[in-house]
Amino acid sequence: MRLQSLFSTLRRRGETALMPYLMAGFPTLPDSVEAAARISEAGADLLEIGVPFSDPIADGPTIQAASRRALGEGADLGRILDAFSGCTARAPRVLMSYVNPLLAYGRDRLLDDLQEAGFCGLIVPDVPLEEAEAWRTEAEHRGFGWVPLIAPTSGGDRAAEIASGAIGFAYYISVTGITGVRSRLPERLTVDLDALRARTRTPIAVGFGVSDATQVRALAPHCDGIVVGSRLVEALRDGEPITPLIRELKQATKEPTPC
């Protein structure tokens, strides 16, 4: 399994995985494929590719705006898979989508086509633990990643149960809110991450709000992966060079702030 191998390799190196998020189709579909390759070349360990959706309930204004633009450009799931099948990024990539577009596409067809397009995992924020078994079973049958989300309100027992059902890694949401750049993260975040990691062998990535190298350094000793989303989408929106940004963030995963 490619995801398991990735986290094992980084753990041996003493590094935390840097996992940038891109909205497929933003600002255009070819642009997003090209950006994925540049981000990978700059040092990203894993790419999260988002599918635009009309009602992205977990996302803040930045990603919502990117989603609207991508939809306006005609970036539906089929076109996204076709476009990313030609992506030259060396970093493994996982797809993030709300469940409605996936159900319309068809679960088994989707998992097969994702693998054909070079993806190795799937994140679906609005499929809870109680409804995930069929997805997880079919993903496991294909040697494919299934990445559940864990909310900070889940509680220790439920968080550990969700993590145990992951294939590849689990995604811990840093805040009780939506995505978006934040100058400060919750004070208890590192404590909660440590408590969860003490109860599971599943790699834990953390996202929502992480936006700069200082935050990455602070989180790195307490998790296995760090997702940076809105900050990168803003950079792409504003025409900011993304290679220096990714290099700075990746370097921060190698220089954690002492616990």
Side-chain angles (χ1 to χ4, degrees):
M1 157 64 72
R2 196 174 182 188
L3 291 173
Q4 293 167 340
S5 175
L6 170 69
F7 283 102
S8 296
T9 298
L10 290 172
R11 190 173 290 170
R12 288 194 297 270
R13 292 181 191 164
E15 296 180 27
T16 302
L18 176 65
M19 184 175 163
Y21 167 95
L22 286 171
M23 173 62 69
F26 177 79
T28 69
L29 195 47
D31 287 338
S32 61
V33 175
E34 190 270 338
R38 282 192 287 144
I39 290 166
S40 175
E41 182 66 24
D45 299 295
L46 182 62
L47 302 175
E48 180 183 1
I49 308 299
V51 174
F53 185 55
S54 58
D55 187 24
I57 57 174
D59 292 308
T62 297
I63 293 179
Q64 286 186 23
S67 183
R68 287 193 298 270
R69 178 163 176 178
L71 287 171
E73 292 284 337
D76 62 21
L77 187 52
R79 291 187 179 96
I80 289 167
L81 296 182
D82 286 344
F84 274 89
S85 66
C87 182
T88 60
R90 62 155 186 86
R93 54 188 182 269
V94 298
L95 192 82
M96 193 290 287
S97 175
Y98 295 93
V99 73
N100 280 5
L102 307 186
L103 294 175
Y105 195 91
R107 185 186 61 226
D108 292 350
R109 175 189 170 209
L110 170 74
L111 293 171
D112 291 339
D113 288 356
L114 279 171
Q115 289 186 296
E116 184 69 22
F119 287 84
C120 62
L122 180 62
I123 303 171
V124 190
D126 49 350
V127 172
L129 176 64
E130 291 77 12
E131 300 174 13
E133 185 57 32
W135 285 96
R136 186 191 184 283
T137 298
E138 291 303 321
E140 186 174 34
H141 176 69
R142 292 165 171 82
F144 197 71
W146 173 254
V147 183
L149 273 70
I150 301 172
T153 55
S154 293
D157 290 343
R158 183 172 176 83
E161 184 180 7
I162 294 170
S164 69
I167 303 173
F169 68 99
Y171 187 136
Y172 189 88
I173 300 171
S174 70
V175 296
T176 52
I178 55 177
T179 61
V181 171
R182 288 175 171 82
S183 59
R184 295 182 61 185
L185 296 173
E187 292 183 3
R188 282 195 52 85
L189 178 56
T190 55
V191 174
D192 292 340
L193 287 169
D194 288 344
L196 175 57
R197 292 175 85 208
R199 299 186 63 172
T200 182
R201 299 183 65 182
T202 300
I204 304 297
V206 60
F208 282 45
V210 184
S211 56
D212 61 40
T214 298
Q215 292 171 338
V216 171
R217 288 190 187 93
L219 289 172
H222 307 278
C223 62
D224 303 280
I226 297 174
V227 182
V228 178
S230 294
R231 172 69 181 90
L232 179 57
V233 173
E234 287 181 353
L236 291 167
R237 178 196 66 197
D238 298 339
E240 177 184 342
I242 57 174
T243 294
L245 172 62
I246 297 300
R247 287 177 176 168
E248 179 185 24
L249 294 171
K250 180 55 196 174
Q251 186 61 32
T253 73
K254 304 175 184 179
E255 301 170 347
T257 301
C259 300

